[in-house]
Amino acid sequence: MGLNLEQKQAVVAEVGAEVAKAQAIVLADYRSLKAGEMTDLRSKARSSGVYLRVLKNTLARRAIADTPFAGLSEKMVGPLAYGISSDPVAVAK
């Protein structure tokens, strides 16, 4: 079941708040990851202070519009996980 308009707006606002304080954003194709591997990745991201989320690319594009990361919108194709962090080294790890 999809998100309604209010839920989509809430997601864009939440991600936009993370992007506003971000120094780096990493886009990663997650198709080859198994469920357990994705769970481990989320856990490691949380412990490193990285906001990791799988989003619809349309919502992610709206969240980064009018930010220094707006140029990433053309790279947002396919199933992606978004790693957002104020520490550029943590998000790269």
Side-chain angles (χ1 to χ4, degrees):
M1 184 166 176
L3 300 174
N4 65 33
L5 180 60
E6 291 174 0
Q7 292 168 323
K8 289 177 182 178
Q9 290 171 336
V11 168
V12 170
E14 177 185 336
V15 174
E18 293 294 327
V19 169
K21 57 186 177 184
Q23 291 292 315
I25 298 177
V26 172
L27 311 177
D29 186 331
Y30 64 87
R31 281 184 277 205
S32 63
L33 292 178
K34 296 178 180 154
E37 294 170 333
M38 189 63 164
T39 301
D40 290 342
L41 181 60
R42 288 177 195 269
S43 175
K44 289 177 185 177
R46 255 191 315 272
S47 66
S48 298
V50 175
Y51 178 83
L52 182 69
R53 181 134 188 207
V54 174
L55 306 165
K56 288 187 171 270
N57 293 328
T58 305
L59 298 179
R61 283 187 197 104
R62 289 181 186 200
I64 66 164
D66 302 323
T67 71
F69 300 105
L72 287 175
S73 63
E74 63 191 37
K75 304 292 184 194
M76 295 177 176
V77 178
L80 297 174
Y82 295 86
I84 304 169
S85 178
S86 59
D87 179 5
V89 175
V91 76
K93 288 182 180 180

